[in-house]
Amino acid sequence: MLREEKPKRPDMVVTPTDLWNALVSVYALSGLTYRKAEQKAKHLAEQGVLAHPISRASFHNFVTRRTPLTRRIMLAVIAVSDVPQDEWIFWESAWRSARMEFVRSAARDGSPAAREYLEQQREHLPKVWGIPWNN
């Protein structure tokens, strides 16, 4: 991605891959090295903006897809990339959408844990996702 390009908007995120791509774009546009991102995350944690600092290895592993994307990493990426805090709610929404798509996919593939999760969320999901519960 070129530095002049705009990253994918969080409201356009549907899948976990969409979310990862959008976050990598945001991080790339920040121009931060892993070391600078680590230092900035530490500073933001000291200020109470982030709950935990994130290491440069964690940033590297996120960008290179060597580790699963976690909410903690997502928050660190948007924080160090100077995404305004009033936009974080959109990223949280994108996180939930991507996570739910992952769970739904796992449930379609027969994952017992995913089916159990969907069953626990039965009251909330049919309206949003249209999941048939009569099966």
Side-chain angles (χ1 to χ4, degrees):
M1 162 173 253
L2 299 174
R3 289 181 54 84
E4 293 80 31
E5 289 184 51
K6 287 195 162 206
K8 191 173 207 174
R9 295 185 348 226
D11 61 332
M12 301 299 291
V13 168
V14 176
T15 68
T17 301
D18 291 341
L19 181 60
W20 183 83
N21 288 335
L23 288 167
V24 168
S25 296
V26 167
Y27 180 79
L29 288 170
S30 76
L32 294 171
T33 64
Y34 299 132
R35 182 180 304 275
K36 290 284 186 189
E38 176 185 51
Q39 291 169 346
K40 195 168 182 179
K42 182 180 178 186
H43 181 69
L44 290 170
E46 289 168 354
Q47 291 179 325
V49 175
L50 291 175
H52 306 283
I54 303 294
S55 70
R56 73 187 106 181
S58 293
F59 283 110
H60 176 265
N61 290 337
F62 155 71
V63 169
T64 59
R65 292 193 96 161
R66 292 188 178 145
T67 188
L69 175 60
T70 64
R71 183 175 173 275
R72 182 174 160 182
I73 296 273
M74 178 193 73
L75 292 174
V77 167
I78 62 176
V80 302
S81 300
D82 295 327
V83 171
Q85 282 190 326
D86 61 343
E87 294 180 19
W88 288 21
I89 191 167
F90 302 114
W91 289 99
E92 288 280 354
S93 180
W95 169 260
R96 286 190 299 278
S97 295
R99 183 170 182 251
M100 189 49 59
E101 181 56 33
F102 177 78
V103 171
R104 288 179 69 221
S105 176
R108 284 191 298 269
D109 295 341
S111 164
R115 289 198 179 277
E116 181 180 331
Y117 176 81
L118 290 172
E119 186 63 33
Q120 291 170 355
Q121 299 297 317
R122 131 182 245 151
E123 295 173 18
H124 305 289
L125 298 177
K127 296 175 195 150
V128 178
W129 297 100
I131 298 171
W133 292 103
N134 300 343
N135 298 345

